[in-house]
């Protein structure tokens, strides 16, 4: 029995966190600032250690708990939930692929809420392409890092970074090494601001990272980041991000349904008895039902394969993971768009609305860009040639 089964996350605890996230969501968005209050609450209550095994002092939770909590937190503030979800994604890489020395020194600090991990994969020139890198690792006295990082979620607040680099000056672009660097090992200079339509609270600034780390900070095999990416970074990312987007859209729909059905107590607006309104709500619901069901099935599939020590880098499983990201990003955004239309100008489109539909719409517009869907559509097309049996989920 895992620690999670013995001590499930108390509902009151989750509700308290969601309340803090909700209370600051509008200000975080309006000021485009890091959600310091919500993140402090997540640190204080041990949620940075959600995926850290109990033997290292963490909550020892699995992917089902991750996707369930990500939905709940995103219902309070999508930016805060994404910052946390990305941290969990990085934590999973440390749990599954770090050296024993790094696991022993880092995981207890993550579990204590001391270390928030940020992710550095995007690079100027190569853009989002996950499995290549330009800036090269240099060896000598330890491993020297010199990395331009144009988009680092929570980068100014992170206590450590997982960074992809080309394995050396002579290595090919696809020979990528992932390593951990603590903030204390690096000079961190801000090179870009984060001024975007939505997800403004992720504070995903540009950074230049310079420093030196010990050889045990390499995560996975040198030059073979592809393996850790397929086993951990991509699956956990797609699951957790999709859960966040779904949670935000679901909370928006819950608010919209409450608002429509309270018509007797407010002037004007959509009428719950109108067949047109009913049909529109049903279409929104359909999109969220489909994403929820597919998220649940992919979570089960990945958890099952992990439990038996299997590999995730088979074409059908990769197609399922990519499909989840594609479907969740497109359908939750479509749902938000339809909610704006249904709620109308003041309540749907207005920033002063009692429902945060305008913010949710802007935030969810990022979903297709947060690792470009264009890359995943073409990847799934290519993978489809390899899965000739058409192994549907
Ligand atoms: C909220 C948010 C948080 C993020 N946080 C981080 C972070 O913490 N760390 C990090 O490293 N990165 C982060 N990113 C960056 C992200 O992971 C992507 O790398 C980035 O958004 C992709 O940029 P791009 O749209 O220019 O696409 P790229 O993937 O760089 O592609 C460039 C262009 O090529 C097009 N294109 C791509 N593939 C194809 C194709 N097969 N056919 C035709 N056209 C194609 C794309 O549409 C795009 O216009 C974040 C992004 C967002 C939105």
């Amino acid at each position: 029995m895992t620690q999670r089964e013995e001590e499930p996350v108390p509902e009151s605890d989750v509700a308290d966190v969601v309340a803090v996230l909700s209370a600051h969501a509008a200000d975080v968005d309006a000021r485009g600032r890091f959600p310091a209050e919500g993140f402090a609450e997540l640190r204080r209550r041990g949620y940075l250690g959600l995926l850290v095994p109990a033997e290292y002092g963490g909550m020892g939770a699995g992917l089902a708990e991750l996707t369930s909590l990500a939905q709940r937190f995103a219902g309070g503030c999508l930016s805060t939930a994404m910052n946390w979800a990305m941290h969990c994604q990085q934590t999973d890489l440390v749990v599954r692929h770090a050296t024993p020395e790094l696991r022993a020194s880092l995981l207890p600090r993550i579990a204590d809420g001391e270390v928030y991990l940020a992710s550095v994969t995007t690079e100027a020139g190569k853009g989002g392409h996950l499995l290549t890198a330009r800036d090269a690792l240099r060896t000598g006295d330890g491993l020297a890092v010199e990395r331009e990082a144009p988009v680092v979620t929570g980068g100014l607040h992170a206590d450590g970074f997982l960074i992809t680099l080309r394995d050396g000056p002579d290595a090919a672009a696809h020979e990528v090494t992932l390593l951990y660097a603590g903030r204390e090992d690096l000079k961190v200079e801000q090179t870009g601001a984060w001024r975007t339509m939505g997800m403004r609270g992720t504070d995903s600034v540009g950074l230049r990272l310079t420093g030196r780390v010990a050889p045990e900070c390499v995560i996975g095999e040198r030059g073979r980041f592809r393996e850790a990416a397929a086993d951990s970074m991509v699956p956990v990312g797609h699951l957790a991000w999709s859960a966040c987007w779904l949670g935000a859209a679901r909370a928006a729909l819950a608010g919209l349904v409450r608002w429509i059905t309270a018509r007797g107590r407010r002037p004007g607006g959509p009428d719950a008895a109108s067949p047109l309104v009913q049909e529109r709500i049903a279409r929104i619901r359909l999109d969220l039902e489909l994403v929820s069901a597919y998220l649940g099935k992919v979570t089960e599939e990945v958890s099952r394969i992990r439990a038996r020590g299997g590999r995730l880098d088979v074409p059908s499983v990769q197609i399922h993971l990519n499909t989840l990201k594609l479907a969740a990003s497109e359908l939750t955004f479509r749902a938000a768009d339809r909610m704006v239309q249904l709620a109308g100008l003041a309540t749907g489109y207005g920033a002063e609305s009692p429902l945060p539909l305008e913010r949710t719409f802007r935030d969810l517009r990022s979903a297709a860009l947060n690792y470009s869907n264009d890359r995943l559509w073409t990847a799934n097309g290519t993978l489809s040639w390899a899965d000739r049996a058409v192994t549907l989920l």
Side-chain angles (χ1 to χ4, degrees):
M1 185 180 273
T2 66
Q3 179 173 325
R4 299 299 315 150
E5 283 162 332
E6 290 163 18
E7 300 169 24
V9 180
E11 170 53 32
S12 60
D13 198 63
V14 177
D16 287 351
V17 174
V18 174
V20 175
L21 268 50
S22 298
H24 298 281
D27 185 65
V28 159
D29 172 63
R31 292 166 56 195
R33 66 171 179 89
F34 185 76
E37 303 85 349
F39 215 80
E41 200 64 17
L42 291 167
R43 276 190 198 258
R44 192 173 70 76
R45 292 179 188 253
Y47 286 107
L48 295 200
L50 184 83
L51 297 183
V52 174
E55 62 186 291
Y56 295 100
M59 291 184 169
L63 298 175
E65 282 126 323
L66 174 67
T67 53
S68 161
L69 281 174
Q71 288 184 58
R72 294 292 305 281
F73 294 159
C77 174
L78 181 52
S79 281
T80 318
M82 275 301 254
N83 288 14
W84 172 77
M86 288 187 186
H87 160 84
C88 291
Q89 180 192 20
Q90 305 310 302
T91 302
D92 189 71
L93 278 160
V94 176
V95 170
R96 292 176 70 83
H97 294 279
T99 57
E101 295 90 329
L102 185 61
R103 284 163 60 100
S105 63
L106 188 55
L107 291 176
R109 295 176 62 216
I110 296 175
D112 279 352
E114 204 185 303
V115 177
Y116 163 36
L117 293 174
S119 166
V120 177
T121 60
T122 304
E123 204 171 1
K126 66 134 199 178
H129 193 228
L130 183 65
L131 301 176
T132 59
R134 288 188 153 195
D135 286 347
L137 188 62
R138 282 167 209 279
T139 44
D141 178 19
L143 303 172
V145 176
E146 211 178 317
R147 179 67 152 83
E148 297 291 338
V151 195
V152 188
T153 290
L156 294 173
H157 306 267
D159 308 292
F161 301 83
L162 262 56
I163 307 169
T164 55
L165 285 156
R166 195 154 53 87
D167 190 53
D170 301 325
H174 68 268
E175 291 175 290
V176 177
T177 294
L178 180 71
L179 52 79
Y180 166 76
R183 179 170 283 270
E184 63 282 4
D185 302 320
L186 296 172
K187 183 172 155 200
V188 180
E189 299 166 89
Q190 184 174 356
T191 52
W194 177 248
R195 278 197 284 274
T196 48
M197 178 193 290
M199 299 306 290
R200 291 161 50 79
T202 62
D203 200 15
S204 304
V205 294
L207 298 177
R208 179 180 301 115
L209 303 171
T210 324
R212 204 170 279 281
V213 301
E216 62 262 27
C217 290
V218 171
I219 294 178
E221 297 288 315
R222 276 191 61 171
R224 292 166 68 175
F225 167 61
R226 172 182 284 276
E227 290 166 16
D231 177 72
S232 169
M233 192 176 218
V234 172
V236 179
H238 288 195
L239 288 166
W241 301 344
S242 300
C244 286
W245 299 326
L246 178 62
R250 181 186 183 178
L253 178 58
L256 181 61
V257 166
R258 274 197 304 275
W259 180 73
I260 292 175
T261 52
R263 186 165 184 259
R265 284 168 271 134
R266 61 170 165 79
D271 178 357
S274 153
L276 179 64
V277 170
Q278 291 160 359
E279 188 257 7
R280 286 183 174 184
I281 278 288
R283 285 193 184 277
I284 294 164
R285 177 85 189 218
L286 176 83
D287 283 344
L288 302 195
E289 290 286 352
L290 293 178
V291 174
S292 175
Y294 202 77
L295 172 64
K297 292 297 283 181
V298 180
T299 305
E300 274 170 31
E301 180 172 57
V302 173
S303 303
R304 201 170 50 243
I305 294 170
R306 278 188 164 191
R308 65 168 157 78
R311 296 179 67 106
L312 297 172
D313 57 353
V314 291
S316 62
V317 179
Q318 290 192 11
I319 290 173
H320 300 159
L321 281 160
N322 291 343
T323 300
L324 171 65
K325 197 272 176 183
L326 291 164
S329 58
E330 293 205 345
L331 297 183
T332 59
F333 176 66
R334 185 166 79 175
D337 188 21
R338 287 176 163 165
M339 285 189 251
V340 168
Q341 183 70 25
L342 182 48
L345 181 62
T347 307
Y349 195 62
E352 303 292 312
S353 163
L355 304 178
L357 294 176
E358 178 262 356
R359 182 177 77 237
T360 306
F361 175 87
R362 285 188 285 106
D363 281 349
L364 287 176
R365 183 61 189 83
S366 74
L369 296 163
N370 193 354
Y371 202 75
S372 180
N373 277 10
D374 297 335
R375 292 192 187 275
L376 296 178
W377 284 119
T378 47
N380 264 9
T382 311
L383 286 161
S384 294
W385 309 141
D387 180 31
R388 294 181 191 188
V390 189
T391 317
L392 301 179
L393 186 64

